[in-house]
């Protein structure tokens, strides 16, 4: 197994965390971009059309959302010690951040993923 297979997911978690810590709007925009990236990245990989691969894709999306919300909560816990705070830390709870991430990443990735699956299904029906 490739040792660096999880590195892009970790980078997306950090980007999502930093964007949401700055502003919920920046977090929503980053979530849209990350959803497109993850769907495209997994689409252009030679992958089998099996339920296990689909399950891994959806678990990766949920994992990125939960880990990014957890990292954001950790940052918001440490920030007041340094004397700084962000408005996002005061307005979003952990649950709200998870739903923000799941919504933006999940909706966009779901659209691209379903489009890709429909395209595969349509291509296999023509043959």
């Amino acid at each position: 197994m490739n040792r660096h297979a999880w590195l892009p997911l970790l980078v997306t978690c950090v980007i999502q965390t930093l964007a949401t810590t700055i502003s919920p709007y920046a977090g929503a925009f980053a979530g849209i971009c990350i959803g497109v990236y993850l769907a495209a990245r997994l689409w252009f990989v030679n992958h089998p059309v099996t339920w296990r691969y689909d399950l891994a894709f959806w678990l990766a999306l949920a994992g990125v959302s939960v880990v990014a919300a957890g990292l954001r909560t950790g940052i918001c816990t440490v920030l007041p010690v340094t004397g700084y705070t962000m408005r996002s830390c005061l307005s979003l709870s952990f649950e709200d951040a998870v739903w923000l991430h799941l919504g933006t990443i999940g909706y966009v990735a779901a659209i691209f993923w379903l489009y890709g699956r429909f395209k595969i299904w349509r291509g296999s029906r023509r043959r």
Side-chain angles (χ1 to χ4, degrees):
M1 182 174 167
N2 188 359
R3 281 189 347 204
H4 304 291
W6 296 102
L7 186 61
L9 291 178
L10 180 63
V11 170
T12 58
C13 287
V14 170
I15 291 170
Q16 184 69 37
T17 299
L18 293 176
T20 307
T21 302
I22 293 170
S23 166
Y25 299 113
F29 180 72
I32 291 170
C33 296
I34 288 170
V36 170
Y37 167 74
L38 289 177
R41 183 177 188 276
L42 294 174
W43 173 253
F44 291 115
V45 173
N46 187 11
H47 61 274
V49 182
T50 62
W51 66 270
R52 288 176 285 174
Y53 189 79
D54 292 339
L55 180 65
F57 174 73
W58 293 109
L59 288 176
L61 292 179
V64 167
S65 300
V66 171
V67 170
L71 287 173
R72 182 201 150 277
T73 303
I75 289 173
C76 288
T77 303
V78 172
L79 270 177
V81 174
T82 64
Y84 295 103
T85 188
M86 298 291 219
R87 191 161 190 79
S88 160
C89 294
L90 302 173
S91 64
L92 280 178
S93 66
F94 174 77
E95 294 84 13
D96 293 338
V98 169
W99 285 113
L100 173 74
H101 297 162
L102 280 174
T104 56
I105 294 171
Y107 290 147
V108 172
I111 290 169
F112 279 95
W113 189 259
L114 291 174
Y115 172 74
R117 287 296 179 216
F118 178 73
K119 194 171 179 180
I120 288 174
W121 174 76
R122 188 172 168 200
S124 66
R125 301 257 320 171
R126 286 187 179 180
R127 292 179 191 174

